[in-house]
Amino acid sequence: DTMAFRRLATHITQRRDAITYARCITSSTLASSSSRDGDDERSLAERLSRVPLERTRNFSIIAHVDHGKSTLADRLLELTGAIKKGGAHQILDTLPVERARGITVKAQAVSVLWRSDAAGGEAREYLLNLIDTPGHADFSFEVSRSLSACDGALLLVDATQGVQAQTIATFYLALEGGLVIVPVANKVDMLAADVDRVAQQMISVFGVEREEVLEVSGKTGLNVTSVLDAVVSRVPPPKGDLNAPTRILLLDCHYDDYRGAVNVVQVVDGEVRKGDKVTSYVTGQHFEVLELGMSTPTPCEVHSLKAGNVGYMITNVRDVRSSKIGDTLHAFKETVEPLKGFRQAKPMVFQGLFPVNTDDFEKLRAAVDRLTLNDASVTVQGENSTALGAGFRCGFLGLLHADVFHQRLQEEFGTDIIATAPTVPYRIAQRDGTFVECTSPLSIPSGGFPQEVSIEEPLVEATIICQPQVVGKIVELCMDRRGEQLEQTFLDDSRVIMRYRLPLGEVAADFADELKSRTSGYATFDYDDAGMQKGDIVRMDVLVNGTAVDALATLVHRSKAQRHGKDIVARLKEALPRQMFEIAIQAALGGKIIARETISAFRKQVTAKCYGGDISRKKKLLEKQKEGKKRMRRIGNVDIPNETFGALL
Amino acid sequence: MDPGTFDEEKLRAFMRAGVNRVSLGVQSFDDDVLKLAGRSHDAREVERAIEMMSTCAVPRWSADLISGLPGVNAGTWRTSLERVIAAGADHVSVYDLQVEAGTAFYRWYGEDATGKDAKEGLPSEDESADMFRDASATLGAAGYEHYEVSSYAKPGARCKHNQIYWQNASWYGFGMSATSHVNGERVARPRKMGDYYAYVDALERGENTGAISTGGDASDALFEHIMLRLRTSDGMNLDKVTERFGEQATKEIDDAVAPFLGEYARYETSAEDGSRILRLNDPEGFLVSTEILSTLLSQMKSLASDDDGEDA
């Protein structure tokens, strides 16, 4: 029974902060056979594995960006001894871009032990699984995915800021999922904290009682133990059955250079052991379980994961793409009812990505391949543009997601790209009732479709929280964006909550920025998928000196076409440099020119003097011009700056 | 020498010292234009200076004219050209006005000129382009050879020392602000008196002079070569380019210049040895020479610098 020491104690990962992986030694010969709880001689793996389902808690923290989720999480980990006091900060956010932007991109789970008597009776050891959720509207699908593995959620609100749109949106998700809500007011140590007010908001929005609201400070650690105790006392244990046929929920999968594909899983029913063979319900593929463990947050290997446990699973299949997020894994040869599927990653914006230099296509392809290994929510297809050459059409969860992707391409692979203007996914309803997805402007004929064929555009339901005095501006903005108001209520005397149904195409681009600027930054907003609706969507083409530049084509609602066309040509007139001939810029709809601008030719471009002392200077000037030209793409005989292709209106 | 700043005695003294060529900073024959340009001489002083060229029998003299000055129109420009021809100048330098940031002209006539600073009267881009063309036609008809973008010379009167620049040969420099080009290194001497004295002291002590020096590698040499040769009507000898820089370089030049052939550039064959020559057309090629050059330079892989392909 004694298991051999299998690996060396330390690995260094490729992440920026080296996280030391310590292999836990599992042993079945214990010094003490006492069944007394809290025996420190037991190994961590033992302790984790012996906590029964009734003393397991699966929970998440829901919070608006900057409301202190990461800090609180650090405190919880410190309290439970998972990390040392003053150890690595913000354990949960590990990607450089996550830290830089203050957002969580990937979902993760951390398992900790907490000794508590809060559930009544004597103090026992509880296994608390904190399942982290991404913190941005773009990633709401990931939120629902993580929440589906939870039974409760800490609803964290910054006591100096109050309830925000994102908190509300995620709250509804949690409610839908039947989660128990534990309201927590954070940052109570700050001078600007108004706990009573925030508590009132929480009461009116979340329907909780005043005494349920915990008042904590993630920064100072004040009252954080009450949070852990509340999880123990208020969040129910997982609903699974240890004796039922094994069912495992696949929450996520990421690629690690040393360990291969690491799956984050939750065992809902039954048990899975090292060496077991499991099968994917979705693909039918078989996996041999090579290693199981829990993240504490350092990986701690265990022999098995039982119902209620959340941890990681490494199999003989090294390809990340074989793991389908949301899949149900079951025992080989058994038939089970699949676990309720949760929302699939639905790309919300599509962009064409092209290498700045056409010679670098292979480099871009390799980089995109690598990056998508760790981000299964990015969809990739090849695309060819007459203007920009060979590239990819990529689908992202939102603009932030796209932005993060571009940044990672640059930072981690040194690839520079030209990205075309983002387009939301439309679908074309055929005569026979089937749908064809449309993710690129070129899928739609220029003038629109004939009558029998209709296009549908995606809708979202947006939640906006603002101050009463800017309500008018927001109503104006939403009306301009073809929105339909669903609700407008007072949260308290200083906050109004509005809900609107809007086309995603009107929201995906610069809605957040417009909202911020019209409300001086005080409104917050979040949105969620709300189905599709018929729309009169047409394709706007851009012609430069008579030639259509396919990479500049965009899709727009016919009612906005005129304005859009004028904006595009005006923007191009500003951006394009003068050339030796006149440049005619036209916006066209089905062959009809709806807007036009002209850039006059320059009549002369000459350096009058080039004598001895002028030569160095002239060289510098030409060098600068040369560099400028390199950041442009020559289409026909016109130079178009790279940024022009993707700039949003 | 600027008109109005010297008399016969001074001129003769210079000639006794060995000076055999004078360049007169005429700029214009029109009083109003001269005033607007902030010159301290007038048309009469221009005539007097020109007269002295013949009374003192200066072997060769050249006149500078600036096209595109405020107050100049097609008519006054033509007059200036005719007068300089009638004056019998051996050489004429015609400069297109360049309004540069940091100068008074930029404050008055530049793109950002606003309010009471802004002045009117600068010829349009079209008009000054036409002036360039007119100079080429008028001076050409009068027997002047347009041998460099801004230089016109009667047969045998090409400016020897300027041509050294355009052949990228070597020369020494003396005095404040002077640049020298020796052994491929360009050294610019300090502009101010005090700094210049310090420079000379350091030179004499054998210490680091702090003078700005630039010198290049192979891609730099090719860059300079193209930049300078295409300013001239003699053009760039492509066979020599192949010899010096390789076939790849010449091929890249041919590819990049292709769209400009006909209207702006052409090939010629050297009368001497049949070599292939590339030159810019007069006046249309010269008029947009900077654009042609920067296009050429951005398309030629041989001229890519080390950090190309990685934008900051």
Side-chain angles (χ1 to χ4, degrees):
Chain A
D1 276 77
T2 314
M3 290 197 258
F5 208 1
R6 252 170 319 209
R7 261 184 252 197
L8 287 177
T10 310
H11 288 263
I12 306 220
T13 67
Q14 59 188 84
R15 291 179 186 161
R16 241 182 231 179
D17 296 336
I19 298 179
T20 311
Y21 283 74
R23 292 265 165 260
C24 302
I25 304 165
T26 59
S27 167
S28 59
T29 58
L30 298 166
S32 161
S33 56
S34 160
S35 58
R36 223 182 48 209
D37 274 349
D39 185 347
D40 287 338
E41 282 173 31
R42 291 183 197 275
S43 70
L44 181 59
E46 254 288 315
R47 288 165 66 199
L48 291 169
S49 296
R50 69 193 298 275
V51 179
L53 188 74
E54 314 84 68
R55 292 209 300 276
T56 304
R57 302 286 186 266
N58 292 334
F59 73 106
S60 184
I61 306 179
I62 299 173
H64 186 76
V65 162
D66 288 342
H67 276 207
K69 182 177 69 152
S70 295
T71 315
L72 182 63
D74 280 352
R75 270 314 76 64
L76 296 178
L77 294 178
E78 270 175 20
L79 260 185
T80 55
I83 60 176
K84 283 203 202 2
K85 219 177 163 65
H89 288 315
Q90 312 216 305
I91 279 283
L92 297 179
D93 297 331
T94 51
L95 284 177
V97 71
E98 283 174 331
R99 287 163 186 257
R101 304 264 194 144
I103 57 171
T104 307
V105 173
K106 301 292 289 169
Q108 300 183 70
V110 178
S111 302
V112 297
L113 292 165
W114 177 242
R115 188 174 203 75
S116 171
D117 60 3
E122 46 169 68
R124 308 293 295 278
E125 203 157 62
Y126 287 81
L127 176 59
L128 307 180
N129 298 319
L130 168 57
I131 303 173
D132 191 28
T133 58
H136 188 273
D138 278 9
F139 305 100
S140 59
F141 109 92
E142 292 218 23
V143 172
S144 81
R145 187 217 292 170
S146 310
L147 289 185
S148 70
C150 301
D151 304 293
L154 302 178
L155 209 47
L156 196 63
V157 178
D158 182 333
T160 67
Q161 299 286 322
V163 172
Q164 301 299 332
Q166 190 184 40
T167 332
I168 296 194
T170 325
F171 161 72
Y172 281 122
L173 277 177
L175 205 62
E176 259 175 66
L179 271 65
V180 163
I181 305 297
V182 178
V184 181
N186 193 17
K187 305 196 192 179
V188 300
D189 57 308
M190 309 242 340
L191 226 52
D194 187 345
V195 181
D196 285 321
R197 184 192 210 107
V198 167
Q200 275 312 304
Q201 288 177 0
M202 290 171 108
I203 293 168
S204 62
V205 178
F206 306 140
V208 298
E209 305 284 336
R210 179 64 177 90
E211 52 272 18
E212 292 178 354
V213 179
L214 301 172
E215 300 168 26
V216 308
S217 165
K219 190 161 84 164
T220 66
L222 172 68
N223 231 358
V224 175
T225 47
S226 69
V227 172
L228 291 166
D229 285 338
V231 170
V232 165
S233 63
R234 303 189 213 173
V235 176
K239 298 190 220 13
D241 182 356
L242 184 58
N243 299 311
T246 302
R247 290 195 300 173
I248 304 166
L249 182 62
L250 186 59
L251 291 172
D252 203 349
C253 186
H254 68 267
Y255 186 77
D256 180 293
D257 271 344
Y258 296 93
R259 301 155 84 211
V262 179
N263 300 286
V264 178
V265 296
Q266 179 190 49
V267 180
V268 174
D269 291 323
E271 186 177 355
V272 60
R273 294 173 202 79
K274 189 167 117 114
D276 280 355
K277 221 166 160 176
V278 296
T279 309
S280 155
Y281 182 83
V282 166
T283 65
Q285 185 171 11
H286 305 299
F287 301 79
E288 190 188 314
V289 178
L290 298 180
E291 183 180 324
L292 294 167
M294 299 191 199
S295 296
T296 67
T298 56
C300 182
E301 195 174 338
V302 297
H303 181 62
S304 73
L305 288 175
K306 306 192 211 14
N309 286 162
V310 178
Y312 67 85
M313 178 172 86
I314 298 177
T315 72
N316 61 333
V317 177
R318 285 182 75 87
D319 186 2
V320 163
R321 290 177 271 244
S322 293
S323 295
K324 301 298 175 201
I325 312 297
D327 196 2
T328 301
L329 300 174
H330 56 86
F332 180 63
K333 289 225 175 84
E334 275 189 355
T335 325
V336 298
E337 268 297 301
L339 295 161
K340 199 170 68 170
F342 41 66
R343 220 151 0 141
Q344 290 306 303
K346 232 174 43 168
M348 303 278 248
V349 289
F350 288 82
Q351 275 184 322
L353 297 191
F354 299 87
V356 164
N357 292 312
T358 36
D359 299 338
D360 288 338
F361 174 73
E362 279 308 317
K363 195 170 165 208
L364 177 62
R365 194 177 56 74
V368 170
D369 258 353
R370 264 307 292 232
L371 208 49
T372 52
L373 269 188
N374 252 341
D375 192 345
S377 46
V378 175
T379 61
V380 180
Q381 275 176 298
E383 174 164 285
N384 258 291
S385 157
T386 319
L388 300 177
F392 300 98
R393 179 129 299 249
C394 295
F396 301 102
L397 303 175
L399 282 180
L400 177 64
H401 189 202
D403 228 14
V404 166
F405 194 78
H406 301 165
Q407 199 173 328
R408 293 185 68 188
L409 276 178
Q410 221 307 306
E411 284 175 5
E412 296 171 41
F413 301 92
T415 20
D416 288 304
I417 50 157
I418 301 178
T420 60
T423 184
V424 298
Y426 296 93
R427 71 180 183 192
I428 302 158
Q430 319 252 64
R431 254 175 277 191
D432 63 358
T434 56
F435 291 103
V436 170
E437 224 203 11
C438 159
T439 59
S440 153
L442 301 173
S443 322
I444 292 187
S446 181
F449 280 108
Q451 294 283 51
E452 324 84 74
V453 182
S454 62
I455 305 181
E456 298 191 351
E457 56 175 337
L459 292 175
V460 296
E461 218 174 81
T463 307
I464 301 170
I465 299 198
C466 64
Q467 296 174 322
Q469 55 263 41
V470 297
V471 166
K473 294 209 178 104
I474 295 181
V475 168
E476 210 175 77
L477 175 62
C478 291
M479 262 176 54
D480 182 54
R481 300 296 173 103
R482 301 191 285 129
E484 181 197 331
Q485 191 179 95
L486 302 172
E487 181 190 334
Q488 184 177 325
T489 19
F490 273 83
L491 211 56
D492 59 29
D493 57 5
S494 71
R495 311 293 262 343
V496 176
I497 173 173
M498 299 167 76
R499 286 193 312 121
Y500 266 90
R501 188 175 297 132
L502 297 146
L504 177 62
E506 301 286 342
V507 163
D510 58 349
F511 186 83
D513 287 338
E514 261 307 297
L515 188 67
K516 267 206 153 54
S517 82
R518 286 188 200 208
T519 62
S520 307
Y522 287 115
T524 58
F525 126 91
D526 200 324
Y527 61 84
D528 208 356
D529 181 25
M532 310 282 281
Q533 93 178 351
K534 275 209 184 56
D536 192 3
I537 307 295
V538 292
R539 187 181 91 206
M540 175 89 52
D541 287 326
V542 174
L543 293 88
V544 176
N545 276 351
T547 319
V549 181
D550 61 0
L552 288 173
T554 47
L555 293 174
V556 67
H557 191 264
R558 198 184 291 270
S559 66
K560 298 281 192 81
Q562 188 73 37
R563 192 196 334 178
H564 188 81
K566 282 211 171 79
D567 279 343
I568 289 188
V569 297
R571 180 166 55 83
L572 285 171
K573 181 176 164 112
E574 276 302 294
L576 264 52
R578 290 171 78 198
Q579 309 223 196
M580 270 158 69
F581 39 78
E582 189 177 82
I583 305 174
I585 307 168
Q586 297 167 314
L589 211 55
K592 177 158 170 264
I593 308 294
I594 59 174
R596 184 201 161 103
E597 286 280 10
T598 317
I599 301 180
S600 64
F602 56 67
R603 302 294 174 200
K604 60 181 174 87
Q605 268 274 14
V606 59
T607 304
K609 295 194 184 184
C610 196
Y611 300 124
D614 305 315
I615 294 178
S616 292
R617 201 155 50 104
K618 164 86 170 172
K619 262 175 63 180
K620 279 206 186 88
L621 215 77
L622 282 172
E623 191 66 52
K624 220 169 90 168
Q625 287 187 330
K626 178 180 99 163
E627 290 313 309
K629 281 201 199 293
K630 282 209 146 53
R631 286 192 288 278
M632 300 194 223
R633 192 54 85 94
R634 204 173 188 81
I635 313 268
N637 50 9
V638 179
D639 286 324
I640 302 185
N642 289 345
E643 324 80 71
T644 319
F645 292 98
L648 304 165
L649 289 167
Chain B
M1 293 171 76
D2 280 347
T5 64
F6 63 98
D7 54 15
E8 253 193 54
E9 193 190 317
K10 197 174 199 175
L11 181 55
R12 288 191 196 280
F14 273 129
M15 288 173 74
R16 275 198 301 277
V19 169
N20 60 1
R21 184 181 186 275
V22 169
S23 173
L24 288 180
V26 173
Q27 323 311 354
S28 172
F29 283 82
D30 184 300
D31 276 335
D32 294 326
V33 173
L34 285 169
K35 207 181 307 192
L36 276 172
R39 294 290 156 163
S40 50
H41 63 267
D42 60 20
R44 210 153 44 101
E45 282 163 322
V46 170
E47 288 300 336
R48 264 219 291 273
I50 290 175
E51 230 184 85
M52 278 192 260
M53 294 297 113
S54 63
T55 49
C56 298
V58 175
R60 289 253 166 75
W61 66 276
S62 169
D64 283 355
L65 290 178
I66 303 183
S67 63
L69 278 171
V72 176
N73 58 35
T76 49
W77 178 244
R78 174 68 68 85
T79 307
S80 280
L81 290 170
E82 287 169 345
R83 287 183 71 171
V84 86
I85 294 169
D90 302 297
H91 185 287
V92 185
S93 291
V94 177
Y95 299 119
D96 172 50
L97 179 69
Q98 326 252 261
V99 177
E100 284 180 1
T103 61
F105 257 48
Y106 191 81
R107 251 199 346 267
W108 300 330
Y109 301 105
E111 308 175 315
D112 310 326
T114 49
K116 36 188 183 62
D117 272 344
K119 292 190 190 200
E120 299 286 314
L122 202 66
S124 71
E125 205 185 42
D126 252 316
E127 288 173 313
S128 48
D130 281 339
M131 287 179 211
F132 187 93
R133 294 186 181 97
D134 193 16
S136 176
T138 308
L139 292 171
Y144 291 86
E145 182 197 6
H146 192 180
Y147 71 100
E148 188 260 353
V149 171
S150 306
S151 312
Y152 296 82
K154 286 242 173 83
R158 283 192 184 189
C159 178
K160 285 192 192 143
H161 73 274
N162 282 342
Q163 289 195 101
I164 302 240
Y165 300 138
W166 304 320
Q167 283 153 16
N168 210 18
S170 301
W171 69 87
Y172 294 114
F174 302 94
M176 299 181 324
S177 258
T179 323
S180 59
H181 183 217
V182 179
N183 291 333
E185 208 193 356
R186 294 183 198 282
V187 179
R189 284 143 196 77
R191 305 160 106 220
K192 299 202 183 132
M193 190 82 93
D195 297 334
Y196 188 76
Y197 280 159
Y199 160 76
V200 172
D201 283 341
L203 258 184
E204 289 184 325
R205 282 200 303 274
E207 286 169 8
N208 182 6
T209 63
I212 306 164
S213 149
T214 56
D217 52 27
S219 78
D220 233 29
L222 179 57
F223 186 166
E224 285 180 6
H225 187 81
I226 299 174
M227 183 180 104
L228 295 167
R229 291 316 300 156
L230 289 182
R231 287 190 71 86
T232 68
S233 64
D234 289 342
M236 181 162 56
N237 185 323
L238 292 174
D239 290 358
K240 288 222 176 73
V241 168
T242 306
E243 214 178 281
R244 201 173 147 198
F245 298 102
E247 251 177 50
Q248 178 63 19
T250 310
K251 176 162 193 319
E252 287 178 4
I253 293 172
D254 285 328
D255 288 341
V257 86
F260 300 108
L261 293 170
E263 198 176 344
Y264 304 101
R266 66 174 185 270
Y267 289 111
E268 286 179 344
T269 320
S270 157
E272 272 176 38
D273 58 6
S275 313
R276 216 161 54 98
I277 313 263
L278 171 68
R279 59 155 296 176
L280 296 185
N281 293 345
D282 167 29
E284 298 306 328
F286 283 154
L287 202 46
V288 292
S289 48
T290 298
E291 172 66 13
I292 296 176
L293 268 173
S294 65
T295 305
L296 228 71
L297 297 172
S298 69
Q299 293 190 356
M300 289 177 61
K301 287 201 168 49
S302 304
L303 295 174
S305 43
D306 275 344
D307 48 69
D308 267 0
E310 275 171 42
D311 284 314

